[in-house]
Amino acid sequence: MAKQAPPTINRPTFEYFTYKGPHRVAVGDLAPAGLPGLVFTPSSGRRLPIVALGHGWLQSADKYADTMRYLASWGIIVVAPNTHRSLFSSHQGLALDLSRALRMVAYGELGGGRVRGDLRRLGVLGHSTGGGAAVLAAAKDEQIRAVVTVTAAETKPSAVAAAGRVEAPSLHLIGAKDDWAESDGALIAQSWGGPAQLRRVKGSGHLGLAEGTSFVNNILGADSDSKVQHATRILASAFFIRHLTDAPQLADQMESKVAGTTLLDPADPDLTPPLDAGDLATAAMI
């Protein structure tokens, strides 16, 4: 058997992702290209993976700036549409914008031509209803090859139903104190058509991934949470590098323990209790 090369910053093992990556990060505005939003990129690179981020209910793209910066430090182009942010916004519309943003970045020249994405290395990351929208996008867009959701919420059309049509590998983080969409992420993982990993983040509520505070925190009684932000940044960076680049050294490491998270079995019936009328009404709102 051939000897495996030792890990380096360009060939990282899972432990490397507990820290920011080696790339300097540039930030840009997507609006001049015709779609409101933000883009975070490494300062240079070719054939880079591209990840579109779907924001949560009533959240703006800049609420995820530190998470996007973390992923970009690991050589990932991250684009976040700042659309469909109204009280009754279109989940399907956000899903379409996620796919649209991926193409805009893949075909565009970034950083004066020093940064180029790869249309064969597309992923989506979504929070709350943006998590549901990420699933809807992956169900319609076969070029999306990796999906991460964080405290995902059910959408209209149903993200749970759409999950069964997605064969791309996925990672789903749910909050131990998510009183608004407690079982939605687990239901999505349970319904997933391809490989799915499910993790619970200790002590985290529904809005934990969104940075800072807004009036939505008061409405839902949920706060920004550094625990879920840190876990998401580590796991999502490693997951996308694993599945969107040539990183065989990570193949057996995504099952590793991550502080503050518990690896769950998506098939566990206790994770997905039947929804009552109140649950359905909440899912329709967020």
Side-chain angles (χ1 to χ4, degrees):
M1 184 175 65
K3 185 177 180 181
Q4 193 173 45
T8 67
I9 196 66
N10 296 315
R11 191 180 182 280
T13 54
F14 185 77
E15 292 80 7
Y16 279 67
F17 293 96
T18 57
Y19 304 94
K20 285 184 179 179
H23 295 273
R24 295 179 61 188
V25 176
V27 184
D29 187 356
L30 201 61
L35 185 69
L38 297 173
V39 58
F40 286 68
T41 77
S43 58
S44 64
R46 294 285 190 273
R47 297 183 62 239
L48 299 177
I50 310 168
V51 170
L53 185 146
H55 60 76
W57 182 60
L58 295 179
Q59 302 294 322
S60 62
D62 60 3
K63 291 289 185 180
Y64 305 91
D66 287 345
T67 294
M68 291 188 283
R69 190 182 303 277
Y70 200 101
L71 268 66
S73 78
W74 279 106
I76 300 167
I77 299 172
V78 189
V79 59
N82 212 16
T83 58
H84 299 284
R85 296 173 50 209
S86 66
L87 188 63
F88 299 106
S89 59
S90 169
H91 303 142
Q92 186 65 72
L94 180 56
L96 293 172
D97 282 346
L98 292 174
S99 285
R100 181 184 171 195
L102 288 170
R103 266 78 185 174
M104 291 173 70
V105 170
Y107 290 118
E109 285 197 8
L110 306 173
R114 296 186 303 275
V115 180
R116 294 300 298 265
D118 191 336
L119 193 59
R120 297 164 297 179
R121 295 178 169 184
L122 305 183
V124 283
L125 163 65
H127 171 226
S128 181
T129 48
V135 177
L136 297 178
K140 283 184 172 292
D141 188 342
E142 293 183 353
Q143 286 187 281
I144 292 175
R145 299 180 58 189
V147 181
V148 176
T149 71
V150 184
T151 57
E154 177 62 304
T155 55
K156 186 177 181 180
S158 171
V160 175
R165 303 193 295 274
V166 185
E167 296 183 358
S170 64
L171 168 67
H172 308 276
L173 303 182
I174 59 175
K177 293 185 177 180
D178 186 352
D179 297 327
W180 286 87
E182 181 179 10
S183 62
D184 292 358
L187 283 166
I188 288 169
Q190 189 177 76
S191 301
W192 204 259
Q197 184 179 115
L198 178 65
R199 288 180 182 264
R200 178 186 286 126
V201 183
K202 182 179 179 181
S204 181
H206 187 67
L207 287 183
L209 186 61
E211 298 152 16
T213 59
S214 71
F215 73 96
V216 186
N217 298 84
N218 295 326
I219 293 173
L220 297 186
D223 296 321
S224 177
D225 189 336
S226 60
K227 293 187 295 296
V228 73
Q229 291 165 14
H230 188 56
T232 298
R233 293 164 192 169
I234 294 170
L235 286 161
S237 297
F239 184 84
F240 287 128
I241 292 297
R242 160 73 182 98
H243 291 288
L244 299 181
T245 74
D246 301 320
Q249 75 279 4
L250 289 169
D252 298 323
Q253 296 184 22
M254 289 306 297
E255 302 283 331
S256 299
K257 291 183 179 180
V258 176
T261 74
T262 303
L263 195 60
L264 304 173
D265 180 1
D268 184 350
D270 292 336
L271 294 173
T272 54
L275 295 176
D276 59 25
D279 294 328
L280 293 172
T282 298
M285 183 176 72
I286 64 172

